Amino acid sequence: MAFGEQPAYLRVAGDLRRKILDGTLPPHARLPSQARIRSDYGVSDTVALEARKVLMAEGYVEGRSGSGTYVRERPERRRVVRSGFRPTGAPSPYRQEQADEACVGTWESRSAQGAASADVAERLGIQAGDRVMCTRYLFRTEGEPSMLSTSWEPLALTARTPVLLPEEGPVRGQGVVPRMAAIDVLVDHMAEEVGARPGLAEETSALGGVPGHIVIEIRRTYFASGRPVETADVVIPAERYRAVYHLPVR
């Protein structure tokens, strides 16, 4: 095979993908059978099978037991706007994660004390095994599951204070910045690391997706005078949402 030349199965997959994207093969249409692909493209059964596998892995088609392979309906992506914390007003955990004022959302949460894993401890600047408050959130945008977030706060900072539980107390449900300000900890910046990976079964189940589909993972940490005060993993289904950043220019 010459340099730069695609393998046959990728060329076949590419042409079928083009037909899906331009509507020649619309959502719910049956993908040509393996025998039809072999005949239309003049390729072997192996090439036809590999081309179908590529489209399935990319999420363009899905297999239905005893029926065949069909074009999946791909939802239009919505935006999750990331703009950093806002120090004024009364933000909520939903606004902390989704800053688009046009979006209407709710959240569910549960909190429990636990021991910091090695990864969480490194992110919070504490020792592995130190006690943390772990809070798990499920966010919904206009009723549709849209984000998961798991946050950790060091109990050395919040224990025996009114903000021990993020969703209880005098500033419950207002997000990290107002809660920390209530105990005289002034958050001055945040950092986010963005990556992508296959979604875990429990994540995609909660978000209404399929295990293995790609999710956007955002690792966020809030700081006060260089000290990490909260860190979180935010998980967003990549097929239905894209992360959009609005950041100030200095």
Side-chain angles (χ1 to χ4, degrees), residues 102-165:
C103 292
V104 178
T106 59
W107 68 94
E108 306 159 18
S109 69
R110 65 181 187 274
S111 298
Q113 296 186 27
S117 67
D119 175 61
V120 168
E122 181 179 4
R123 290 159 61 178
L124 287 175
I126 60 179
Q127 297 296 313
D130 283 359
R131 304 296 290 173
V132 293
M133 181 63 71
C134 176
T135 303
R136 303 181 188 278
Y137 292 91
L138 170 62
F139 295 95
R140 300 179 187 273
T141 299
E142 297 176 357
E144 177 186 82
S146 57
M147 283 179 285
L148 295 173
S149 177
T150 305
S151 73
W152 298 270
E153 296 175 352
L155 287 180
L157 179 65
T158 61
R160 296 182 295 279
T161 75
V163 302
L164 172 64
L165 293 169

Side-chain angles (χ1 to χ4, degrees), residues 39-237:
S39 172
D40 288 352
Y41 292 95
V43 297
S44 67
D45 278 333
T46 299
V47 169
L49 178 60
E50 290 302 313
R52 290 157 63 90
K53 286 182 178 179
V54 167
L55 295 175
M56 192 168 293
E58 292 175 344
Y60 286 100
V61 300
E62 61 184 356
R64 299 179 187 173
S65 180
S67 179
T69 304
Y70 293 82
V71 177
R72 292 184 65 234
E73 186 167 4
R74 297 173 66 82
E76 181 179 352
R77 282 183 174 178
R78 303 175 68 173
R79 306 188 315 159
V80 171
V81 179
R82 315 291 296 175
S83 63
F85 68 85
R86 292 171 293 172
T88 59
S92 69
Y94 183 82
R95 285 286 165 245
Q96 179 173 285
E97 307 298 354
Q98 165 63 286
D100 188 347
E101 296 291 350
C103 292
V104 178
T106 59
W107 68 94
E108 306 159 18
S109 69
R110 65 181 187 274
S111 298
Q113 296 186 27
S117 67
D119 175 61
V120 168
E122 181 179 4
R123 290 159 61 178
L124 287 175
I126 60 179
Q127 297 296 313
D130 283 359
R131 304 296 290 173
V132 293
M133 181 63 71
C134 176
T135 303
R136 303 181 188 278
Y137 292 91
L138 170 62
F139 295 95
R140 300 179 187 273
T141 299
E142 297 176 357
E144 177 186 82
S146 57
M147 283 179 285
L148 295 173
S149 177
T150 305
S151 73
W152 298 270
E153 296 175 352
L155 287 180
L157 179 65
T158 61
R160 296 182 295 279
T161 75
V163 302
L164 172 64
L165 293 169
E167 298 301 309
E168 296 183 21
V171 284
R172 61 185 179 275
Q174 293 189 27
V176 174
V177 179
R179 290 180 50 252
M180 291 298 163
I183 56 172
D184 297 323
V185 176
L186 301 181
V187 173
D188 50 36
H189 77 283
M190 61 169 285
E192 292 192 342
E193 300 177 10
V194 183
R197 59 171 173 79
L200 303 178
E202 57 267 30
E203 293 170 338
T204 52
S205 175
L207 292 169
V210 176
H213 279 192
I214 299 301
V215 297
I216 302 168
E217 181 182 56
I218 301 173
R219 291 189 163 200
R220 182 202 63 224
T221 304
Y222 282 99
F223 297 87
S225 301
R227 177 186 182 181
V229 298
E230 187 257 17
T231 193
D233 289 342
V234 181
V235 175
I236 304 167

Side-chain angles (χ1 to χ4, degrees), residues 16-35:
L16 291 170
R17 186 189 307 113
R18 176 187 59 78
K19 291 179 179 179
I20 292 171
L21 292 174
D22 69 15
T24 304
L25 288 171
H28 311 296
R30 187 171 182 173
L31 194 72
S33 67
Q34 189 168 316

